[in-house]
Amino acid sequence: MKSKRHSKILEVITSNVVSTQEELMQTLIDQGFDVTQATISRDIREMGIVKVQTATGEYRYTTTAKERDAKIPVRFTTIFSEVVTEVDCAKNLVVVKCHTGMANAVCAALDTMEWDEIVGTISGDDTFLIIMRDDHGAQTMTARLKLIGK
């Protein structure tokens, strides 16, 4: 349940402006999660979520991973967004589906990123697999890759 909640938190804060723990808690409750303010506070700390000031002066939650993703080479972002059709996860595995014949190129570009949380990758013709250390890592990577693909 924790990994599902963390994945939902990432989804919520990346697609909405969330400025308080109460807003985040209510959104999760509305989506069927049984959470308390203490749970939200602990999740925020564990996930490395921080509150930043936007250009308009408002405050919102964001992930430290988002700051790191801003440094992703344009080459990877371009290849990924043009070729990838779907990203999903199962347990500690992230499955990335691509246009026919392109999985190896995207997988090779991902390998050059040298992300420590990735144990390894394996590529086929139109799909590649990312092996993560644990379920939470797979859910987090799935959310990150979906953001890149937008």
Side-chain angles (χ1 to χ4, degrees):
M1 191 64 173
K2 183 177 181 178
S3 63
K4 287 183 181 181
R5 188 177 65 245
H6 282 195
S7 181
K8 181 56 75 174
I9 289 169
L10 279 177
E11 179 184 317
V12 168
I13 68 170
T14 55
S15 58
N16 303 290
V17 174
V18 178
S19 56
T20 67
Q21 289 183 10
E22 292 78 22
E23 286 177 55
L24 182 57
M25 182 178 70
Q26 191 57 54
T27 301
L28 291 173
I29 290 170
D30 291 347
Q31 295 188 18
F33 289 87
D34 184 25
V35 294
T36 64
Q37 192 277 327
T39 303
I40 296 297
S41 182
R42 188 173 41 256
D43 288 344
I44 286 171
R45 186 177 56 257
E46 288 175 5
M47 297 172 67
I49 294 173
V50 294
K51 196 178 270 192
V52 297
Q53 189 172 17
T54 66
T56 62
E58 297 175 310
Y59 285 91
R60 71 174 294 168
Y61 284 112
T62 188
T63 63
T64 53
K66 189 172 184 178
E67 293 170 10
R68 187 173 85 180
D69 288 348
K71 299 175 185 171
I72 293 174
V74 175
R75 176 178 171 264
F76 176 73
T77 303
T78 303
I79 291 170
F80 193 90
S81 62
E82 292 293 323
V83 173
V84 171
T85 59
E86 185 180 341
V87 179
D88 202 354
C89 67
K91 297 284 184 182
N92 70 317
L93 306 173
V94 178
V95 178
V96 182
K97 297 186 181 210
C98 306
H99 294 299
T100 304
M102 298 303 296
N104 197 42
V106 181
C107 187
L110 176 72
D111 288 342
T112 66
M113 301 301 292
E114 298 180 1
W115 285 335
D116 293 335
E117 60 269 35
I118 296 176
V119 175
T121 59
I122 187 164
S123 179
D125 187 48
D126 64 354
T127 305
F128 69 93
L129 187 66
I130 305 168
I131 299 101
M132 304 299 294
R133 297 198 183 284
D134 55 34
D135 298 0
H136 173 69
Q139 299 231 345
T140 302
M141 180 62 68
T142 299
R144 286 175 69 194
L145 293 176
K146 285 182 177 182
L147 285 175
I148 294 169
K150 286 186 176 181

